[in-house]
Amino acid sequence: MLDYAPAEAWSSDALWSWFSAQRAVLDAIVALEDAGAALPPLIDATRWHAQGVMALHELIIETRARTASELGELHTRAWEISSLAGS
């Protein structure tokens, strides 16, 4: 048999905090997606054989990988925040 205990009501402060956290994470996701979209053209533009430009090229590639990793983390946080509304 299923237990149908009523869900705890959220206070206005808790609800406001939830909405604020979700908005902040979603804004960060958009910012990282925008930044990530700008990186591939930079990678193509820095395909030179000069040592300084090669170092920049490698840094941009590393930044793209870190951006993708952070996006994954932010999507996880957004999912966690959204799941709080269901609890």
Side-chain angles (χ1 to χ4, degrees):
M1 188 154 228
L2 298 173
D3 183 14
Y4 291 103
E8 224 177 276
W10 285 35
S11 69
S12 61
D13 286 343
L15 190 58
W16 179 255
S17 295
W18 180 84
F19 278 118
S20 296
Q22 184 167 14
R23 183 75 253 157
V25 169
L26 294 177
D27 288 346
I29 288 171
V30 169
L32 279 173
E33 287 174 341
D34 290 346
L39 293 174
L42 288 175
I43 291 170
D44 291 338
T46 57
R47 285 190 192 197
W48 296 88
H49 297 288
Q51 216 171 18
V53 177
M54 262 325 257
L56 175 62
H57 178 76
E58 295 300 320
L59 179 61
I60 294 170
I61 290 173
E62 178 187 336
T63 301
R64 180 181 59 179
R66 290 174 39 202
T67 299
S69 174
E70 289 300 321
L71 273 171
E73 288 292 320
L74 286 172
H75 280 291
T76 300
R77 295 296 89 75
W79 178 83
E80 289 171 345
I81 290 168
S82 294
S83 70
L84 287 174
S87 60

